[in-house]
Amino acid sequence: LGFSLHCHDGVGVGVGGEDASIQNKNHTSSSLLTKLTTHTFHKDVYNCDDDAGYFLFIVRDPVARALSAFNYDKPIEEDFLHDNDWANKKARFYFDCPFPHMEDFVQNGLREEGDSPDRCKRLAIKSLQGINTHYNQSPDHWYFNYQYYLEAIPSDSKILTIRNEHIEQDIRSIENLFECHEQERLALAKSVNTNTWSDQDDLYLSDESISILCQALCNEIQFYKKILHRAINMLEDQLRVSLMELEAKCPHEAIAEECLDVIPDISEKLRDNRGY
C-alpha cells in the first residue's frame, strides 16, 4: 500500500515494504537488504528500538496511496465467508454510505455538493485525513498515514526511502550506500508491482476528483515531501523527479509549505498504537 516500515539495529536498515515486496522472513535470502531489515513498524505493530541505525520507508504519492488503500480494504464476497465480522465493519463505510468506488467516495463524500448524508461526508474527510477514531470501519492505511509513521520515529532518525514509482533505482541506491557486493544484491522480478486489478471502475479517478483529493490530502502531501527530503539515499535529481511527478498531479499542494487544514495532533494515536 505504499507504506510499511521496518527498522534495523546498529548499522542496519528500517524498511517499508508492501509495494516493493521485500521479504525478510527468517533471512533466507542472500540479499543484503533483506538481511538488514530485521524489525517492523507497520500500523499498530512497533518492535523497533529508538536507536535503530536507519528507518526505511517505502512510499508512493499520497493520491495513489489513498486509492490503493481504499481498494485494499473494500470487502468482497469471499471476505464475508472467511471473516464476517471484519467484512461487516468495513461494509458500513463502503456501502452504508454511497462509496462503492473511490470516484464515488470523492464525488459523494468529499465534494461539497456531493450526494451523501452529512454523516457520510464527516466520515469521509475524517477517514481520509487519518482522524477517524473508528478506523476499523474505514480503510486502515488512511488512519496509519505518513504523518503517523514520520512522527512516530525519533526526530533525528536516518531515513532511507524506496519510491514505489522508482523501486529498482532506489533499491540499488541503498545497496550502493552500504557498498553491497554483487552477490548480495536483491533479485527483482520484472513483474514487480504489476497491476492486475480486474475491476477498472476501482482504479478510475476523474481529474476533478484528483484535484479534490489533492486538497483534502494537503497535509499528507507535506509529510510525503518531508520523507523524500530526508532520504539519505536520494540524489537531488531523483528528488526533483518525484516532486515534478507530484506537481503534475497536485500542482498547488506540491509547492505549498502549509495547508488550509491544521495539522492534526496525533499524540493519542501514537500512544495507543506505538505504545508511548
Side-chain angles (χ1 to χ4, degrees), residues 34-53:
T34 53
K35 290 177 180 178
L36 290 176
T37 55
T38 55
H39 295 73
T40 300
F41 176 23
H42 184 227
K43 295 169 60 173
D44 59 351
V45 176
Y46 186 86
N47 65 9
C48 300
D49 296 321
D50 280 350
D51 61 352

Side-chain angles (χ1 to χ4, degrees), residues 40-81:
T40 300
F41 176 23
H42 184 227
K43 295 169 60 173
D44 59 351
V45 176
Y46 186 86
N47 65 9
C48 300
D49 296 321
D50 280 350
D51 61 352
Y54 301 84
F55 287 82
L56 170 57
F57 288 72
I58 292 184
V59 299
R60 63 169 65 179
D61 88 69
V63 172
R65 182 179 188 267
L67 173 61
S68 177
F70 179 93
N71 289 328
Y72 183 78
D73 268 348
K74 185 168 67 173
I76 59 176
E77 187 174 343
E78 289 182 3
D79 293 323
F80 291 94
L81 298 176

Side-chain angles (χ1 to χ4, degrees), residues 110-130:
L110 296 182
R111 193 168 59 93
E112 189 173 344
E113 304 82 5
D115 186 19
S116 65
D118 287 344
R119 66 173 183 83
C120 289
K121 290 184 177 180
R122 290 192 297 270
L123 176 64
I125 191 64
K126 285 185 175 182
S127 298
L128 184 68
Q129 295 182 342

Side-chain angles (χ1 to χ4, degrees), residues 171-180 185:
I171 287 177
R172 299 307 178 215
S173 73
I174 293 170
E175 291 174 335
N176 292 338
L177 185 68
F178 288 98
E179 299 180 350
C180 181
R185 292 188 180 276

Side-chain angles (χ1 to χ4, degrees), residues 2 30 48 66 109 120 139 150 153 156 186 207 223 258:
S30 62
C48 300
C120 289
L150 188 58
I153 67 174
D156 60 349
L186 185 67
D207 290 343
F223 282 99
E258 58 182 27

Side-chain angles (χ1 to χ4, degrees), residues 197-265:
W197 205 271
S198 57
D199 188 346
Q200 292 304 304
D201 287 339
D202 284 339
L203 304 178
Y204 174 72
L205 281 173
S206 64
D207 290 343
E208 181 189 29
S209 290
I210 290 173
S211 179
I212 293 171
L213 279 171
C214 290
Q215 183 175 350
L217 289 169
C218 182
N219 281 321
E220 184 74 343
I221 289 170
Q222 306 317 307
F223 282 99
Y224 170 71
K225 287 156 55 179
K226 289 179 182 180
I227 293 168
L228 294 180
H229 278 284
R230 285 184 57 182
I232 63 174
N233 64 303
M234 192 83 60
L235 299 176
E236 284 296 324
D237 286 347
Q238 295 171 317
L239 175 61
R240 190 177 302 112
V241 166
S242 284
L243 293 178
M244 288 174 60
E245 291 170 344
L246 179 63
E247 189 172 355
K249 184 176 285 186
C250 300
H252 303 295
E253 295 75 17
I255 62 174
E257 295 184 359
E258 58 182 27
C259 305
L260 294 176
D261 293 326
V262 176
I263 296 174
D265 178 357

